Amino acid sequence: DAKPILLVEDDLIDTMTVRRALKALHITNPIAHAEHGEAALAWLGDTRNDRPDLILLDLNMPVMGGIEFLRSVKTEGNPLRRIPVIVLTTSEEQRDKVESFDLGVAGYIRKPVDYQRFVDTMRTVDAYWTISEIPE
């Protein structure tokens, strides 16, 4: 059984683009979606939901942004901290990159504007996570 991928993204077009790219790549994991960090924390805290194999995280969101979400999830002792998080953002800010890695992200990817480049990027992400072993 494929575990879900949690997509934390507030932009409807970007959400549809991610879903479309994953479908084009025949990725069968269910996609759970949260529009901001607080909604993602609520989803992760709901015991009815399977723990995701991967979190795709935007940084610039209302209510609770990606950095705040990372500060919450990646704290010492949090059982969720081992879930790999890939930042998928338009931010070019060096401080966002540094803080994201300081908070334990597995990767930081700028969203390509071109759809085919975006699909290629998601193919690379899928290839890496397919062979990577993640602790339970």
Side-chain angles (χ1 to χ4, degrees):
D1 290 327
K3 296 227 178 162
I5 295 170
L6 177 57
L7 173 62
V8 188
E9 171 65 67
D10 66 314
D11 185 274
L12 181 60
I13 300 297
D14 287 347
T15 299
M16 291 183 340
T17 301
V18 170
R19 288 180 183 274
R20 188 171 141 213
L22 295 176
K23 185 176 181 179
L25 296 169
H26 307 289
I27 295 171
T28 59
N29 300 67
I31 308 301
H33 177 244
E35 292 184 352
H36 51 73
E38 278 187 10
L41 290 175
W43 189 90
L44 288 165
D46 187 334
T47 56
R48 296 171 294 178
N49 297 325
D50 286 335
R51 182 177 155 169
D53 275 344
L54 179 66
I55 298 173
L56 299 175
L57 178 68
D58 187 21
L59 290 184
N60 301 313
M61 297 176 291
V63 184
M64 176 188 273
I67 297 295
E68 292 172 277
F69 172 81
L70 287 169
R71 285 186 188 129
S72 178
V73 169
K74 296 295 187 177
T75 58
E76 188 69 39
N78 187 333
L80 303 172
R81 78 184 290 213
R82 288 194 181 108
I83 299 171
V85 176
I86 295 179
V87 171
L88 196 57
T89 186
T90 57
S91 176
E92 296 183 45
E93 294 292 327
Q94 186 65 25
R95 68 180 160 75
D96 285 343
K97 291 176 195 174
V98 169
E99 192 161 9
S100 293
F101 277 101
D102 284 350
L103 291 167
V105 298
Y108 188 101
I109 299 171
R110 289 218 18 240
K111 295 176 191 171
V113 175
D114 176 73
Y115 177 70
Q116 192 53 54
R117 287 190 57 220
F118 187 83
V119 170
D120 292 341
T121 298
M122 296 309 291
R123 180 178 288 111
T124 302
V125 169
D126 178 54
Y128 179 77
W129 292 111
T130 300
I131 62 170
S132 181
E133 295 193 20
I134 302 166
E136 292 293 321

